[in-house]
Amino acid sequence: MKKIFLLCTFMLSFAQMKADEGMWLMMLIKRLNGQDLQKKGLKLTPEEIYSVNNASLKDAIVQFGGGCTAEMVSREGLLFTNHHCGYGQIAALSTPEKDHLTNGFWAMNKSEEIPAKGLSVRFLVRMDDVTARINALLNNEMPAKERRDIIDAEYKKIQSENAESGKYTVVVRDFFNGNEFYYFVYQDFKDVRLVGTPPNSVGKFGGDTDNWEWPRHTGDFSVFRVYADANGNPAEYSPSNVPMKPKHHLPISIKSFKPGDMAMIVGYPGRTNRYMTSYGISQLVNKDYPGWVDASRTAMDVLKKHMDRDQATKLNYASQYASVANYWKNRQGTIESVHKNGTIEDKKKVEQVYQEWANKSDNKDLYGNVLPEMAAYYKTTSSKGIERNYAAQMTRNAKYLAYATNFSSMFKNYMDETDAAKKADLKKTISERIETSYAKFNPALEQEMLKEMVSLYRAKVRNEAASPHLQTINPALLDDVAKNSIFATKTSMMQFLNKPDAAQLNNDALLKIANGFTKDSRALAERYTVEDDRFSHNNRLFFDGLRKSNPKTEFYPDANSTMRITFGKITTLPFREDRDYNGVKNNFYTDIDGMVAKYKKGDEEFDLPQELLDLAAKRDYGQYADAAGYLPVNFLSDNDITGGNSGSPIMNGNGELIGLAFDGNSEALSGDIVFEEDWQKTINVDSRFVLWVIDKLSGAGHLLQEMTIVK
């Protein structure tokens, strides 16, 4: 049985923990055993990592766009993140005439930087523990609704107490399956501008083929700048805004490193489920994720069919396709990894020990039935889980459903408004929303997407969980239901806005489909309310029992999109016979020679700019070459990360940037469920390659003048 390490933020003894497992809350960094960290290479003090009153490492790390991480790298608000994190913004700022996504883009001065509409970054100001405060109001006997109401009320009080009249955004989160609570105070900056991006052939080199695979040769980075008002405060975009001055920015190291050297990552990991039971994992990989994979593949086929027809559609839907493809491969890989690595069997062994403890007389009343009831829950709700995955992909990709639901509500509010001034404001708001939503909208693609996703849902979701409205639709209606709808195009939407008619809206066939599905979804959720509430109760008790039954074992909280730090080291991965390493003998890095060896002229995944090929042929690496003479591209570490960590800085023990985390490896795609000690790695783009692309390949060396480069 592989060793499973469950680590706790409260009783943190680094001497007993594995350096590579666990995502730690920043405010608890002082509880790490500093001496052991120093032996492993950490040169920073806890105060230099997390401080409320003084500049610290946390002040250089931001949540980027809500789903990624980025880091400040200059005193002038410059930030690095992944190319795939900036992908949607880069695509949105591209046209067939100015195709920044395909060709790359670099602003030669600040006036050329392009505002990224709708993009914001979030800085953590501070966090605090409110577990005792909230738990003092709760008990295990109270009804689920009463518990939720109490928690919600305290959340609102905590937010009000710390928001300072709207200056800050305050988020309260539960941890350890609802046993503990912390709040986070953030400051959001909404004027963010694109500074530079390598061509897609560099930023996405290897495409779907190499995604989640090692070795990688990808320049997965992009550069943005954060702006503030004249006083340094967050502000909406304005030409008068100035580059913000972060409290701290990361120095960038171009020094060589080797396996065993300390590496730490700070970022915003999205979601892990390390305490999921064997029953939940079985449902996930045998029922839920196969539905996700199936629906994603259908959506990708529709997208690619239309994207291949013209460049405008390719640009407009590039971000959506990349996101769907990424998760499609992730979910498929997770299924394979769980079965290959014996994850379910390992969980069963943990549960057997837990049940033996729970059956003891002192524990039986509260904990004895927890696991049996959780097992029964998954049997009862299995069909609902499958439906949820097909429905999620349908609503995510079939935009007509969301547009019909959202815009119909706006139209009704507009028609009901009697105040002339308010009516005029509503019309302006709706008009702007229509313009934004339909600006890069392909009606033919969306009509086919709607038909294919609804048809797949009808075919694959079991009747006991399926939407009755979708199941009883005449299939012929799906062929062209959107074509005659109010929501078909920007033109039809504007025509309706200028001459609204309630009867026309209520009789719209597309809206009837959307409303019927929404109504059925609510009914399905309500049908399982009792089961879901009981599961939440048992899930909380399960973790509580885990902790009490293992008093000498230490536990860490699952990721939940809050800032975390993870410690590890530069590492290697065993060679695989089915992968080409292009001459690299020490399997912790890849170099530009390997990148060039994969080059295929004109290939969508493996093409490269001629300028890169020429520089590589001349071995013109400048100061960015490794001490051994090669130009590094990517490298491996054993840090514990997940989705949301994309773009996170990976740093040496001095807190200097050595790269950007951008991927994991296929051998450990079950990592969101269990940390695979022997296999779980982080794939990073080397900071030396990032700077080489900016300086040598792109001619934007002026940006390096505002960075702190450590040689």
Side-chain angles (χ1 to χ4, degrees):
M1 173 180 177
K2 78 169 69 90
K3 217 169 183 180
I4 297 176
F5 289 81
L6 302 173
L7 311 171
C8 176
T9 58
F10 281 104
M11 304 178 292
L12 206 51
S13 170
F14 194 78
Q16 297 179 8
M17 91 176 208
K18 289 185 57 59
D20 51 5
E21 182 178 1
M23 305 172 192
W24 312 104
L25 286 166
M26 297 291 285
M27 70 171 284
L28 302 176
I29 190 68
K30 292 182 180 179
R31 300 182 188 182
L32 291 171
N33 188 314
Q35 184 177 359
D36 291 284
L37 283 169
Q38 289 168 7
K39 288 179 182 178
K40 294 177 181 294
L42 181 65
K43 307 299 182 183
L44 303 179
T45 66
E47 185 75 6
E48 289 173 316
I49 293 174
Y50 176 87
S51 175
V52 174
N53 299 315
N54 300 303
S56 60
L57 195 64
K58 77 165 174 62
D59 299 310
I61 317 302
V62 299
Q63 189 172 40
F64 181 86
C68 282
T69 303
E71 51 278 349
M72 310 306 295
V73 295
S74 88
R75 296 181 181 87
E76 296 294 313
L78 204 66
L79 66 77
F80 286 170
T81 190
N82 285 156
H83 179 266
H84 76 259
C85 292
Y87 198 84
Q89 293 293 337
I90 298 165
L93 295 172
S94 299
T95 64
E97 295 74 30
K98 293 184 178 181
D99 191 348
H100 304 317
L101 186 66
T102 301
N103 303 321
F105 165 81
W106 292 94
M108 292 299 119
N109 53 64
K110 291 184 177 68
S111 66
E112 294 182 359
E113 296 172 1
I114 309 174
K117 188 175 181 180
L119 177 62
S120 65
V121 298
R122 170 167 285 184
F123 287 82
L124 175 64
V125 178
R126 67 180 187 277
M127 62 172 290
D128 210 346
D129 181 2
V130 287
T131 300
R133 169 178 173 170
I134 294 178
N135 278 343
L137 305 173
L138 308 173
N139 61 66
N140 287 322
E141 287 71 41
M142 63 175 47
K145 185 180 184 305
E146 181 182 353
R147 180 184 179 88
R148 284 196 300 270
D149 289 344
I150 291 172
I151 292 174
D152 288 345
E154 284 305 299
Y155 278 14
K156 291 176 182 177
K157 290 179 184 178
I158 292 166
Q159 289 165 345
S160 177
E161 292 163 5
N162 294 279
E164 294 190 19
S165 300
K167 179 180 179 180
Y168 299 117
T169 299
V170 182
V171 178
V172 191
R173 292 280 170 85
D174 70 89
F175 291 78
F176 298 114
N177 296 359
N179 284 282
E180 296 172 12
F181 304 88
Y182 292 79
Y183 74 83
F184 302 80
V185 179
Y186 299 108
Q187 194 166 36
D188 298 332
F189 286 78
K190 299 180 180 180
D191 186 353
V192 185
R193 306 180 195 182
L194 175 65
V195 174
T197 174
N200 200 44
S201 56
V202 175
K204 201 182 175 187
F205 185 78
D208 292 334
T209 298
D210 276 2
N211 192 20
W212 300 103
E213 301 294 345
W214 178 261
R216 294 291 295 272
H217 301 81
T218 306
D220 196 348
F221 79 96
S222 56
V223 185
F224 291 77
R225 193 185 304 277
V226 184
Y227 282 76
D229 67 16
N231 297 316
N233 296 315
E236 298 289 343
Y237 167 78
S238 170
S240 64
N241 285 347
V242 297
M244 76 156 293
K245 310 289 185 183
K247 293 180 181 178
H248 180 65
H249 72 276
L250 300 182
I252 305 173
S253 172
I254 57 174
K255 297 181 291 186
S256 299
F257 47 78
K258 63 185 183 304
D261 288 351
M262 171 173 259
M264 57 182 173
I265 290 175
V266 179
Y268 283 86
R271 176 63 62 182
T272 56
N273 289 288
R274 297 277 172 83
Y275 306 111
M276 182 179 284
T277 63
S278 62
Y279 321 114
I281 298 173
S282 179
Q283 171 70 25
L284 201 68
V285 300
N286 294 318
K287 304 288 184 63
D288 294 353
Y289 277 4
W292 184 300
V293 170
D294 188 21
S296 296
R297 182 71 264 176
T298 298
M300 288 164 62
D301 289 344
V302 174
L303 288 166
K304 194 165 193 318
K305 172 183 173 181
H306 289 268
M307 290 169 70
D308 287 346
R309 289 176 176 174
D310 70 275
Q311 185 65 10
T313 300
K314 186 174 184 178
L315 288 171
N316 295 341
Y317 287 85
S319 180
Q320 181 178 343
Y321 183 88
S323 178
V324 176
N326 182 60
Y327 279 103
W328 163 74
K329 191 166 186 178
N330 173 278
R331 298 311 191 232
Q332 182 60 54
T334 299
I335 295 169
E336 295 168 359
S337 293
V338 165
H339 291 307
K340 180 180 178 181
N341 296 332
T343 304
I344 294 175
E345 292 306 311
D346 284 345
K347 288 286 186 178
K348 287 181 178 179
K349 292 173 183 177
V350 172
E351 290 159 9
Q352 182 179 352
V353 174
Y354 174 92
Q355 192 60 53
E356 289 173 359
W357 172 87
N359 286 337
K360 293 180 179 179
S361 58
D362 291 344
N363 308 320
K364 193 168 186 178
D365 287 347
L366 189 57
Y367 302 100
N369 290 324
V370 166
L371 282 177
E373 287 188 12
M374 293 178 81
Y377 169 83
Y378 284 108
K379 290 181 180 179
T380 301
T381 63
S382 179
S383 294
K384 186 187 79 163
I386 296 169
E387 191 275 344
R388 185 172 60 240
N389 280 269
Y390 279 103
Q393 291 307 302
M394 179 176 65
T395 54
R396 178 183 184 183
N397 290 290
K399 291 190 180 74
Y400 271 134
L401 291 175
Y403 282 14
T405 300
N406 296 334
F407 278 109
S408 65
S409 178
M410 294 183 206
F411 286 147
K412 288 176 181 177
N413 290 337
Y414 174 65
M415 287 186 287
D416 290 342
E417 182 57 62
T418 57
D419 183 278
K422 291 181 179 179
K423 197 175 187 74
D425 288 342
L426 273 174
K427 185 173 184 179
K428 183 176 182 293
T429 299
I430 297 171
S431 178
E432 291 172 350
R433 187 73 63 85
I434 291 171
E435 185 66 38
T436 300
S437 299
Y438 284 84
K440 298 185 175 183
F441 189 84
N442 184 321
L445 182 157
E446 296 297 345
Q447 166 61 52
E448 185 171 351
M449 182 70 76
L450 176 68
K451 175 186 176 181
E452 293 301 319
M453 297 305 285
V454 173
S455 296
L456 183 69
Y457 178 99
R458 285 163 50 86
K460 296 299 183 71
V461 178
R462 297 174 183 173
N463 287 332
E464 64 264 27
S467 161
H469 193 83
L470 293 190
Q471 294 295 67
T472 55
I473 286 176
N474 182 349
L477 179 64
L478 296 173
D479 290 333
D480 60 2
V481 66
K483 292 180 182 178
N484 299 316
S485 171
I486 294 166
F487 311 96
T489 64
K490 182 173 73 172
T491 299
S492 63
M493 289 283 280
M494 291 305 300
Q495 286 175 346
F496 183 83
L497 181 60
N498 290 326
K499 193 177 180 180
D501 180 87
Q504 182 186 0
L505 183 63
N506 293 333
N507 289 321
D508 189 278
L510 177 59
L511 180 58
K512 287 182 177 180
I513 292 175
N515 285 344
F517 173 69
T518 300
K519 181 180 178 181
D520 291 343
S521 295
R522 289 171 181 164
L524 180 65
E526 290 172 1
R527 192 193 317 166
Y528 289 97
T529 296
V530 174
E531 289 86 349
D532 290 343
D533 286 346
R534 187 63 186 173
F535 175 79
S536 295
H537 174 83
N538 282 322
N539 202 30
R540 187 170 64 255
L541 287 179
F542 174 60
F543 180 82
D544 186 48
L546 270 180
R547 186 150 54 187
K548 290 178 178 176
S549 63
N550 294 274
K552 295 182 180 181
T553 304
E554 299 173 343
F555 297 79
Y556 58 82
D558 273 320
N560 60 358
S561 295
T562 54
M563 186 185 284
R564 307 294 180 89
I565 187 168
T566 169
F567 296 96
K569 60 186 179 297
I570 307 300
T571 190
T572 60
L573 187 66
F575 285 91
R576 283 172 43 180
E577 294 182 0
D578 61 334
R579 301 292 289 176
D580 189 348
Y581 295 84
N582 297 294
V584 171
K585 303 298 184 183
N586 196 342
N587 191 25
F588 76 91
Y589 72 92
T590 60
D591 61 14
I592 200 167
D593 291 338
M595 191 179 205
V596 172
K598 287 182 175 181
Y599 164 65
K600 298 176 185 177
K601 185 176 181 178
D603 186 272
E604 187 174 358
E605 295 184 316
F606 294 99
D607 200 1
L608 284 169
Q610 187 61 47
E611 295 85 354
L612 184 147
L613 297 172
D614 292 342
L615 287 168
K618 292 186 293 184
R619 306 190 75 76
D620 187 357
Y621 305 153
Q623 64 179 334
Y624 311 110
D626 187 84
Y630 62 85
L631 178 64
V633 178
N634 299 152
F635 66 93
L636 288 173
S637 66
D638 61 8
N639 299 83
D640 190 0
I641 69 168
T642 189
N645 272 119
S646 290
S648 292
I650 180 166
M651 296 161 283
N652 60 23
N654 296 317
E656 299 161 352
L657 185 72
I658 60 173
L660 281 69
F662 72 90
D663 209 356
N665 56 310
S666 61
E667 295 89 347
L669 280 174
S670 57
D672 283 355
I673 301 166
V674 61
F675 187 86
E676 297 290 350
E677 175 186 344
D678 296 328
W679 293 107
Q680 195 152 335
K681 312 297 178 187
T682 296
I683 305 175
N684 313 274
V685 58
D686 198 298
S687 62
R688 293 169 288 181
F689 185 71
V690 171
L691 296 183
W692 180 83
V693 170
I694 294 173
D695 186 6
K696 291 285 189 176
L697 180 62
S698 306
H702 62 282
L703 293 173
L704 274 65
Q705 296 175 13
E706 61 181 275
M707 303 176 195
T708 303
I709 309 297
V710 181
K711 300 182 181 181

